[in-house]
Amino acid sequence: MSIDLAVIGGSGLYNFPGLENARRQSVDTPFGPASGDVVTGDFAGKRLAFLARHGESHSLPPHRVNYRANLWALHQLGARRVVGVNAVGGIRDDMGPRVIVVPDQIIDYTHGRFTSFCDVEGAEVKHIDFSEPYTASLRRDLLAAAARAGVPAIDGGCYGATQGPRLETRAEIARMKRDGCDLVGMTGMPEAALARELELEYACLALVANFAAGCGDEEEISIEEIFAHLAAATAEVPKILGAMLAG
């Protein structure tokens, strides 16, 4: 099966709007079950595969997502280009609620996750080059597509991946800011590294749902406001991906 693009949906994106001739597939993997069925169909004249990272009912917290199974399933179905859609908090001043960012770097603060396909007994050990964690050509295509679709998107930024599911303290965000992080999220790793191990093209569409703790003017982070901002940003995703697939 030929898949032109695979999309991994994060919080707020549990199905892909506008997908035609949709077909659900359960994919067996050597790493256990994926987050759910992979839904394939036609979008913007191309074949698209969609997988909800947290499950379609948001039943999987970030640290319990089977990232290895998810990437393996998409790869097994023939995907070669993968866009991860991630809900994030903004640290940098210009990355406030409803802003869309295509980051170019990542710092991993997670722990206790299966971070490599090499963790399996007898597997070949691969030392991947991860100096540029996102595929440059796919990043460029996303940014160009956003411009054609009339959707503002920021080029570049460092994504700090935290463990979750709790939000971070002000001190943790202050440390991340000193480290050079512009965004904070809970699902960026090990997804990006696993995609690289499988030699997949991979890029991230980061949707800012809120300012991180101690950033912006917000004294408290309201979950209701987070999901309202996230819904607004999520509505722009099909426009960007449609423009990219249409070429």
Side-chain angles (χ1 to χ4, degrees), residues 11 21 68 86 92 103-104 110 116 160 181 210:
S11 296
N21 304 313
R68 293 190 301 181
N86 299 76
R92 209 167 83 187
D104 62 345
T110 66
S116 173
C181 295
N210 57 280

Side-chain angles (χ1 to χ4, degrees), residues 9-239:
S11 296
L13 185 59
Y14 308 115
N15 55 71
F16 197 87
L19 196 63
E20 299 178 343
N21 304 313
R23 176 189 173 198
R24 305 177 69 91
Q25 299 179 73
S26 177
V27 183
D28 292 327
T29 86
F31 308 98
S35 294
D37 291 344
V38 179
V39 182
T40 57
D42 302 317
F43 182 73
K46 299 290 176 65
R47 291 292 294 172
L48 184 143
F50 177 80
L51 176 62
R53 185 185 290 114
H54 298 282
E56 293 179 2
S57 60
H58 199 107
S59 58
L60 296 168
H63 63 296
R64 297 293 298 275
V65 171
N66 192 338
Y67 296 94
R68 293 190 301 181
N70 287 352
L71 270 300
W72 189 273
L74 295 174
H75 180 266
Q76 188 169 314
L77 287 176
R80 294 297 176 265
R81 308 184 95 198
V82 180
V83 172
V85 181
N86 299 76
V88 299
I91 297 175
R92 209 167 83 187
D93 290 345
D94 61 341
M95 295 183 179
R98 307 192 181 199
V99 169
I100 296 176
V101 185
V102 182
D104 62 345
Q105 279 296 326
I106 195 163
I107 297 177
D108 189 4
Y109 299 94
T110 66
H111 53 85
R113 303 183 183 190
F114 288 108
T115 60
S116 173
F117 293 108
C118 304
D119 290 336
V120 178
E121 186 71 28
E124 177 189 357
V125 177
K126 291 185 178 180
H127 299 285
I128 57 170
D129 178 3
F130 205 53
S131 54
E132 300 295 333
Y134 302 108
T135 305
S137 59
L138 186 52
R139 288 189 65 257
R140 288 195 298 269
D141 288 350
L142 283 172
L143 289 162
R148 290 196 301 273
V151 179
I154 294 178
D155 179 3
C158 182
Y159 179 126
T162 58
Q163 183 71 356
R166 66 167 178 83
L167 300 179
E168 301 74 26
T169 68
R170 288 173 180 264
E172 287 169 331
I173 294 299
R175 181 189 69 161
M176 294 176 71
K177 188 172 184 179
R178 291 192 298 271
D179 286 349
C181 295
D182 303 300
L183 302 163
V184 57
M186 303 173 188
T187 54
M189 285 291 286
E191 192 171 278
L194 292 168
R196 181 63 52 85
E197 284 192 4
L198 289 175
E199 300 181 354
L200 298 171
E201 294 185 36
Y202 179 87
C204 167
L205 269 180
L207 313 181
V208 183
N210 57 280
F211 271 116
C215 302
D217 298 324
E218 299 174 356
E219 290 299 320
E220 286 189 25
I221 299 174
S222 160
I223 296 299
E224 291 75 20
E225 288 180 341
I226 286 176
F227 281 103
H229 294 319
L230 191 53
T234 299
E236 307 287 13
V237 171
K239 300 177 189 177

